[in-house]
Amino acid sequence: MPLNTIALELVPPNIDRGVEHAREEAYKVLQLSAQAGIAGRIGHVMIPGLIPEDDDRPIEMKPKLDVPDFWSIIRPELPGVHGLCTQVTAFLDESALRTRLASLRQVGFDGIIFVGVPRTLKDGDGGGVAPTDALSKFDDLVDNRGVILIPTRDGERERFDFKCDRGATFGMTQLLYSDAIVGFLRDFKNVSDHRPEVLLSFGFVPRMESKVGLVDWLIQDPGNETVAAEQAFVRTLAVSEPDAKRRQMLDLYKRVIDGVAELGYPLSLHFEAPYGISKPAFETFAEMLDYWAPRS
């Protein structure tokens, strides 16, 4: 069954901020949802399992609450909301990964996205289980098995088809700052019989981005002209006034939705605020949902 959901990404807080700060994040979700007029519409929280990456990451990676611990804290505060998460597979052997996935299922995650090695490593590095192998090895344990979909990446059509062959039931896109996903899914439909669910990811860009560049870093792909255009759009969003920013994001959202809605894929939404959830981010997400939302 498709997830058919609106998922909000929440990054586990730094350990030194404590349990109470984690609860405050849940309260903030409820408060901002109510203020934006979308109370009760968030169906899932998506919690990424982060690991240290490149040394040039714009914001230092400090030790964070483990994914199941964070979810166990906030879950009671978010009635009716379910859990999704990402799990890096490449540094765990099969036995350790099975134990980890079982623990994630036990605390209530009903979808897990298998993630590979950081950009500094090559596919196959890490010594553990490759995400494509995890899709088939653990189909008895995880019903909703997700993968990352990057429509601008070279060779992604073949890569995504292979992941679907191996058992992926859904793909969560990288943050979308162009409508490249439309052409990607149209082309994929012409060459593959797979119709996995697609979680379309949209990220809010605050003014802070113009100084820090976290979103720019997240979507980077040196030498890729399409990504370079997306990075330019992100820079424009960062310095735009709030009303203009919302209009530009809503225009992008409409182009993506209008382009993919009739292609035959089950669709869900994934909203992200990389610098932390905020009132402007929720107001933007609410306008998007006014235009289109998954049917419950």
Side-chain angles (χ1 to χ4, degrees), residues 13-14 47 91 111 144 253 271:
N14 297 341
I47 304 176
F91 303 109
N144 297 308
Y253 183 75
F271 290 142

Side-chain angles (χ1 to χ4, degrees), residues 197-262:
E197 184 170 9
V198 178
L199 274 66
L200 300 167
S201 301
F202 296 92
F204 182 75
V205 181
R207 187 168 291 272
M208 189 183 304
E209 169 68 16
S210 62
K211 296 181 179 180
V212 179
L214 177 60
V215 177
D216 183 271
W217 182 83
L218 288 171
I219 67 173
Q220 66 176 305
D221 187 6
N224 188 318
E225 293 183 2
T226 301
V227 174
E230 292 184 338
Q231 291 173 304
F233 179 55
V234 168
R235 289 191 292 271
T236 298
L237 289 172
V239 298
S240 296
E241 294 300 319
D243 288 347
K245 191 188 311 250
R246 280 197 299 274
R247 286 195 301 271
Q248 291 173 88
M249 280 302 299
L250 184 59
D251 177 67
L252 169 63
Y253 183 75
K254 289 179 177 179
R255 285 188 282 120
V256 170
I257 295 299
D258 291 348
V260 303
E262 303 302 324

Side-chain angles (χ1 to χ4, degrees), residues 154-197:
D154 185 46
E156 189 72 351
R157 188 173 65 188
E158 294 77 14
R159 185 181 289 108
F160 190 49
D161 190 46
F162 180 66
K163 291 176 179 179
C164 292
D165 283 340
R166 299 291 286 177
T169 63
F170 70 96
M172 185 175 76
T173 72
Q174 187 181 53
L175 288 173
L176 303 176
Y177 293 104
S178 74
D179 57 7
I181 187 66
V182 177
F184 177 90
L185 290 178
R186 185 183 298 118
D187 291 343
F188 189 78
K189 179 180 179 180
N190 291 332
V191 299
S192 174
D193 292 330
H194 294 296
R195 298 294 179 269
E197 184 170 9

Side-chain angles (χ1 to χ4, degrees), residues 142-156:
V142 183
D143 292 333
N144 297 308
R145 300 175 302 281
V147 295
I148 300 298
L149 169 58
I150 305 177
T152 55
R153 183 165 55 178
D154 185 46
E156 189 72 351

